[in-house]
Amino acid sequence: MIDKTVPNVEAAVAGIADGATVMIGGFGRAGQPVELIDALIAHGASDLTIVNNNAGNGDTGLAALLAAKRVRKIICSFPRQSDSWVFDGLYRAGEIELELVPQGNLAERIRAAGAGIGAFFSPTGVGTQLAEGKEAREIGGRRYVLEYPITADFALISARKGDRWGNLVFRETARNFGPIMATAAATTIAQVDEVVPLGDIDPETVVTPGLFVDRVVAVGERPWLRDDVFVGGVDLEGRALEEENR
Amino acid sequence: MIDKTVPNVEAAVAGIADGATVMIGGFGRAGQPVELIDALIAHGASDLTIVNNNAGNGDTGLAALLAAKRVRKIICSFPRQSDSWVFDGLYRAGEIELELVPQGNLAERIRAAGAGIGAFFSPTGVGTQLAEGKEAREIGGRRYVLEYPITADFALISARKGDRWGNLVFRETARNFGPIMATAAATTIAQVDEVVPLGDIDPETVVTPGLFVDRVVAVGERPWLRDDVFVGGVDLEGRALEEENR
Amino acid sequence: MTTRISRDDLARRIAADIPEGSYVNLGIGAPTLVANFLPADEEIILHTENGLLGMGPAPEPGLVDPDLINAGKQAVTALPGAAYFHHADSFAMMRGGHLDVCVLGAFQVSQTGDLANWSTGAPGAIPAVGGAMDLAIGAKDVYVMTDLLTKQGESKLVAACTYPLTGVGCVSRVYTDHAVFDVADGAFVVRELFGDNTIDELRELTGLALGATEGN
Amino acid sequence: MTTRISRDDLARRIAADIPEGSYVNLGIGAPTLVANFLPADEEIILHTENGLLGMGPAPEPGLVDPDLINAGKQAVTALPGAAYFHHADSFAMMRGGHLDVCVLGAFQVSQTGDLANWSTGAPGAIPAVGGAMDLAIGAKDVYVMTDLLTKQGESKLVAACTYPLTGVGCVSRVYTDHAVFDVADGAFVVRELFGDNTIDELRELTGLALGATEGN
């Protein structure tokens, strides 16, 4: 019997070595595997290269990993946010390296890694600072730059439900980078709100087929989803909800 | 109100001009938009370039379009099948041009067209006849050849259900090329078994979002799905079911 | 004194130019306001690059769902007919030219349609690009929504951008608080003047040889 | 006279080498037989490139579903835990190295692991490649299942392929009706002999300087 479920988040992050490249799903807070990140902090791996769209929000999750000085370098599209004070401080102090990638190129480079594509010509970023030094080419009258895959040793992602084969479904815009990161890492670790029996997920609706997933851990209802309050998020006016609830 | 549904297959295929490039979904019979192809034959467009995985089965659908001498060229991965006698005859008579593409490169080239990728390096076909004359490159110790997108003027695809915004869900392995062809054509025309009210398709399970689809036409239950007999298909031993039922 | 219309009026003006059935991405910040002025009786489908097509308005207070946000990380809703997808698929929609309109903010727009909106190039600033470069090339029409002048009174419409570029030759139209400009053949052409603005005044404010459409 | 095991026995032999939990693609034709010998009490997940992971056996007669077929266009079923996906995603699984094992037929395999299985290069033949070239590079291990000799008695194991190639240096192991061969460092190494076959006989049949593993 195939059973990719592991009993707890400690077991889920086992084997992540110092110096590893780790993709972490999420767009801001949505889809961020906070429980796995907390376990990674406790696990202790350091000198990490992190791939994420952002560079942490508030003081939890990815921001806490950064605050613990475990991250040597971050590859992302949008580090600077209203609540990215942890990253901001480290960056200004020269304590973290940043590789800035346009968001769509980040996504496509991750997908390319999972799909076995050696490199691809993208029109995004042509003629900008972020394409400097990259191979350029005109194809069919349009200009492109050559972009290479981004691979990782591990991917930590968050999904709504999973089964023991590793099939996953996501929830709303928390899907974001999870499905593509799952394809691009040597070992993919998924936290899910709920593990369901094999066969419960309609085969027509599986978003991430189990072959991309190595470990599944149930974390229960995510605490920052409770009471209709987006813990650490922003309200309708963009103010931090945490502030309001303090 | 957005309403992409059209009343009948004649309206669905309107505007397909002589000389057009038309992608046709399906893998063998599964997912082949037979009713749209029949309408295309009646519509009369000729000198077509067709993109499909195969080159027609039996005497219906794509095979009938070929038999009507409407196709100048076919781009596909696997023309020769046990029941591809129509194509076989035309090819041997020099009456149809063939561009043979490995199936995964065919799929990825179609996806690249829809995703705005200028070209990509694929490891498939390296060192073979089908890569002759193509730009090759070694990246990270592996050899690749450069492959270009395949675009089309029209895509004809078959889906299980659609709504008036053009959102589609498919059925089992009939999904195959439909979702990627929908992204790669200037105009995408989907036949569906059933048009459902907007909102009936769970947003988590939409396979082809409506922005890729221009026209939706309900064709009812497909006749070759009836009575549990795969009309024109093969049985468990690979024999043509049509033969058995004649 | 030249007329300057309000942010809301500018958003209303842009909304009026978006036909029913369009697929539209509204950039973070002021462009988001455009959604408030789309006609309630027409269907215009909003895309947010973090994986949703058919985005609806902000939820009622108390119904905030942390998994359902827009690219600005604000709470939103999903309309009947919506679809969720992952980031590679979402940016394929943009890069592949499937959106009709993107509305973006700007630091500068050049008369050849170059856009600068992601970095002022200030030393010590933390760079962050997000989806800006993808959006800049990611629609059939890229509209810019901006004040004509900076707070210091400098024109944001320029002969050539001095700030780091977001995209080259990508902007098709600029909606400012003074006037609407089309980018055509390497020049700004005044499409519409607001209030008592005149082309000559705009030429003075921008320092550019602006073209005029008939009637302006 | 050398021993030649049956197709079914060869399929059984291959099945025995596939560990539980493997993701496996079985090529059209003889390799499909391997499915019949996978242990019923173990979970081995079959991929078919036309968009299904978790493929089950053929349906009962009368339950044929025309939308549910394998790459050979035969009716199949889907197991609990299955997933459907489109062609680009399906071939991304292969090309991206996510499958553990592919089992393929062959016209020829060279001692450097080149595979020829899609075309005999015969003049006038209609070329058709399907997914052969993708499968050839599409798994961590590519196993070939074939008779050692053609009907004319020529070895399918060769120093260099004379038929058009499907893939270069892609085959890791060849299961034949006479013996099992590993491809290692530019040579075939006999891994297992069936029946009364000897290495010397196989050297004579193939004309190749075959290596031997310990015990053979």
Side-chain angles (χ1 to χ4, degrees):
Chain A
M1 195 175 95
I2 298 170
D3 188 0
K4 297 183 179 181
T5 63
V6 294
N8 51 51
V9 290
E10 291 72 30
V13 301
I16 301 184
D18 292 354
T21 295
V22 182
M23 292 179 172
I24 298 182
F27 181 86
R29 301 268 178 164
Q32 191 175 141
V34 175
E35 286 71 14
L36 287 177
I37 297 169
D38 287 345
L40 178 59
I41 295 170
H43 170 71
S46 63
D47 197 33
L48 302 172
T49 295
I50 298 295
V51 183
N52 183 267
N53 186 61
N54 304 104
N57 305 73
D59 293 303
T60 57
L62 179 53
L65 183 70
L66 266 62
K69 306 274 178 89
R70 304 293 172 70
V71 181
R72 184 180 66 76
K73 176 181 176 179
I74 190 154
I75 301 173
C76 71
S77 85
F78 206 75
R80 190 193 59 221
Q81 301 166 93
S82 59
D83 55 356
S84 63
W85 51 78
V86 172
F87 171 81
D88 298 358
L90 290 167
Y91 183 79
R92 294 215 160 91
E95 292 181 7
I96 193 165
E97 188 183 338
L98 170 66
E99 179 181 340
L100 194 69
V101 182
Q103 196 169 141
N105 284 353
L106 183 66
E108 189 71 9
R109 290 173 64 187
I110 293 167
R111 185 214 174 248
I117 299 299
F120 61 91
F121 284 101
S122 170
T124 300
V126 167
T128 75
Q129 279 180 5
L130 299 188
E132 278 173 18
K134 297 192 173 184
E135 180 177 337
R137 185 180 296 202
E138 187 170 315
I139 302 170
R142 194 175 192 190
R143 290 174 63 209
Y144 298 86
V145 289
L146 191 62
E147 297 285 349
Y148 292 89
I150 300 174
T151 59
D153 300 303
F154 292 88
L156 309 184
I157 65 173
S158 173
R160 171 70 188 90
K161 291 192 241 185
D163 63 29
R164 65 179 174 81
W165 279 12
N167 292 304
L168 303 177
V169 292
F170 296 81
R171 186 164 181 274
E172 302 166 342
T173 59
R175 186 184 302 197
N176 58 67
F177 283 89
I180 52 175
M181 287 181 169
T183 72
T187 299
T188 293
I189 305 162
Q191 69 169 57
V192 296
D193 296 355
E194 185 185 1
V195 170
V196 297
L198 196 72
D200 262 29
I201 303 176
D202 179 352
E204 302 282 4
T205 71
V206 171
V207 173
T208 291
L211 96 164
F212 294 121
V213 178
D214 300 281
R215 303 174 196 165
V216 175
V217 61
V219 297
E221 195 186 352
R222 288 159 290 163
W224 49 286
L225 249 175
R226 277 201 196 121
D227 304 327
D228 274 339
V229 174
F230 185 178
V231 183
V234 291
D235 69 6
L236 302 183
E237 268 67 51
R239 289 183 302 252
L241 284 169
E242 266 174 339
E243 304 291 328
E244 289 180 18
N245 291 291
R246 264 177 194 163
Chain B
M1 194 176 97
I2 299 169
D3 188 0
K4 298 183 178 181
T5 62
V6 294
N8 51 51
V9 290
E10 291 72 30
V13 301
I16 302 183
D18 292 355
T21 296
V22 182
M23 292 179 171
I24 298 181
F27 181 87
R29 301 269 177 162
Q32 191 175 141
V34 176
E35 285 71 13
L36 288 177
I37 298 170
D38 286 347
L40 178 59
I41 295 170
H43 169 71
S46 63
D47 196 33
L48 302 171
T49 295
I50 298 295
V51 182
N52 182 267
N53 186 61
N54 303 105
N57 306 74
D59 294 303
T60 58
L62 179 53
L65 183 70
L66 266 62
K69 305 277 178 87
R70 304 293 172 71
V71 181
R72 184 181 65 76
K73 177 181 175 179
I74 190 155
I75 301 173
C76 70
S77 84
F78 206 75
R80 190 193 59 221
Q81 301 166 91
S82 60
D83 55 355
S84 63
W85 50 79
V86 173
F87 171 81
D88 299 358
L90 290 167
Y91 183 78
R92 294 215 161 91
E95 293 181 7
I96 193 165
E97 189 184 338
L98 169 67
E99 179 180 341
L100 194 70
V101 182
Q103 196 169 142
N105 284 354
L106 182 66
E108 189 71 9
R109 290 173 64 187
I110 293 167
R111 183 210 174 255
I117 299 299
F120 61 90
F121 284 102
S122 170
T124 300
V126 167
T128 74
Q129 279 180 3
L130 299 187
E132 279 172 19
K134 296 191 174 184
E135 180 176 338
R137 186 180 296 203
E138 187 169 314
I139 301 169
R142 193 175 194 193
R143 290 173 64 209
Y144 297 87
V145 289
L146 190 62
E147 296 285 348
Y148 292 90
I150 300 175
T151 59
D153 300 303
F154 291 88
L156 309 184
I157 65 173
S158 172
R160 170 72 187 88
K161 289 193 243 185
D163 62 31
R164 64 181 174 81
W165 280 12
N167 292 304
L168 303 178
V169 292
F170 295 81
R171 186 164 180 273
E172 301 167 344
T173 59
R175 186 182 303 196
N176 57 67
F177 283 89
I180 52 175
M181 287 182 170
T183 72
T187 300
T188 293
I189 305 162
Q191 68 169 57
V192 297
D193 295 356
E194 186 185 359
V195 171
V196 298
L198 196 71
D200 261 30
I201 303 176
D202 179 352
E204 302 282 5
T205 70
V206 170
V207 173
T208 292
L211 96 164
F212 293 121
V213 179
D214 300 281
R215 302 174 197 166
V216 176
V217 60
V219 297
E221 195 186 351
R222 288 159 290 165
W224 46 287
L225 248 175
R226 280 205 194 116
D227 304 327
D228 273 339
V229 174
F230 186 178
V231 183
V234 291
D235 69 7
L236 304 182
E237 267 67 50
R239 286 183 303 251
L241 283 169
E242 266 173 338
E243 304 290 327
E244 290 179 16
N245 291 290
R246 264 177 194 164
Chain C
M1 188 61 196
T2 58
T3 302
R4 300 176 59 169
I5 67 171
S6 70
R7 278 281 163 90
D8 274 356
D9 284 345
L10 187 55
R12 185 179 290 112
R13 177 66 195 78
I14 295 170
D17 276 357
I18 299 177
E20 177 160 30
S22 296
Y23 293 93
V24 178
N25 186 299
L26 301 174
I28 297 175
T32 305
L33 293 176
V34 173
N36 300 341
F37 301 99
L38 294 172
D41 59 344
E42 290 186 9
E43 290 183 335
I44 288 166
I45 300 181
L46 298 181
H47 172 262
T48 182
E49 60 265 35
N50 55 314
L52 168 60
L53 198 64
M55 179 172 66
E60 297 297 313
L63 294 176
V64 168
D65 179 338
D67 284 341
L68 185 44
I69 60 176
N70 66 13
K73 304 191 176 72
Q74 295 166 307
V76 295
T77 51
L79 300 178
Y84 297 108
F85 31 83
H86 63 57
H87 248 77
D89 281 349
S90 184
F91 280 79
M93 286 180 192
M94 293 205 284
R95 198 190 306 107
H98 303 285
L99 297 182
D100 297 298
V101 176
C102 278
V103 183
L104 302 173
F107 297 145
Q108 292 177 323
V109 182
S110 84
Q111 56 194 354
T112 56
D114 293 354
L115 173 66
N117 77 348
W118 73 281
S119 166
T120 59
I126 296 175
V129 67
M133 291 184 179
D134 307 277
L135 287 158
I137 59 137
K140 297 186 186 83
D141 280 307
V142 173
Y143 293 163
V144 163
M145 174 183 184
T146 183
D147 291 338
L148 179 64
L149 305 177
T150 67
K151 285 175 186 163
Q152 290 72 39
E154 293 165 344
S155 174
K156 292 184 162 198
L157 301 194
V158 294
C161 295
T162 55
Y163 287 156
L165 293 187
T166 307
V168 174
C170 56
V171 176
S172 43
R173 188 177 293 168
V174 185
Y175 292 86
T176 76
D177 50 355
H178 289 68
V180 182
F181 303 84
D182 279 337
V183 178
D185 302 324
F188 290 111
V189 175
V190 177
R191 184 187 175 84
E192 180 178 339
L193 291 161
F194 296 143
D196 60 0
N197 286 289
T198 66
I199 288 200
D200 285 339
E201 283 171 323
L202 296 179
R203 285 181 176 137
E204 194 166 329
L205 288 171
T206 62
L208 297 171
L210 305 171
T213 52
E214 270 185 80
N216 283 316
Chain D
M1 188 60 198
T2 57
T3 302
R4 300 176 58 170
I5 68 171
S6 70
R7 278 279 164 94
D8 275 355
D9 284 346
L10 187 54
R12 185 180 288 111
R13 177 65 195 78
I14 295 171
D17 276 357
I18 299 177
E20 176 159 32
S22 298
Y23 293 92
V24 178
N25 185 301
L26 301 174
I28 298 174
T32 304
L33 293 175
V34 172
N36 300 341
F37 301 99
L38 295 172
D41 59 344
E42 290 186 7
E43 291 184 333
I44 289 166
I45 300 181
L46 298 181
H47 172 262
T48 182
E49 61 265 35
N50 55 314
L52 168 60
L53 199 63
M55 179 171 67
E60 298 296 315
L63 295 176
V64 168
D65 179 339
D67 285 342
L68 185 44
I69 60 175
N70 66 11
K73 304 191 176 72
Q74 296 166 308
V76 295
T77 51
L79 299 177
Y84 297 108
F85 31 83
H86 62 58
H87 247 78
D89 281 349
S90 184
F91 281 79
M93 288 180 191
M94 293 205 285
R95 198 189 309 106
H98 303 285
L99 297 181
D100 297 298
V101 176
C102 279
V103 183
L104 302 174
F107 296 144
Q108 292 177 323
V109 181
S110 85
Q111 56 194 353
T112 56
D114 293 354
L115 173 66
N117 77 348
W118 74 282
S119 165
T120 58
I126 296 174
V129 66
M133 291 184 179
D134 307 277
L135 287 159
I137 59 137
K140 298 187 184 83
D141 281 306
V142 173
Y143 294 163
V144 164
M145 174 182 184
T146 184
D147 292 338
L148 179 64
L149 305 177
T150 66
K151 284 175 187 162
Q152 290 73 37
E154 292 166 344
S155 174
K156 291 184 162 198
L157 302 192
V158 293
C161 295
T162 55
Y163 287 157
L165 292 187
T166 307
V168 175
C170 56
V171 175
S172 42
R173 189 177 293 167
V174 186
Y175 292 85
T176 76
D177 50 354
H178 290 69
V180 181
F181 304 83
D182 279 338
V183 178
D185 299 325
F188 289 111
V189 176
V190 177
R191 184 185 174 84
E192 181 178 339
L193 290 162
F194 296 142
D196 61 0
N197 284 291
T198 67
I199 288 200
D200 284 340
E201 282 172 323
L202 295 178
R203 285 180 178 139
E204 194 165 328
L205 286 172
T206 62
L208 297 171
L210 305 171
T213 52
E214 270 186 81
N216 285 315

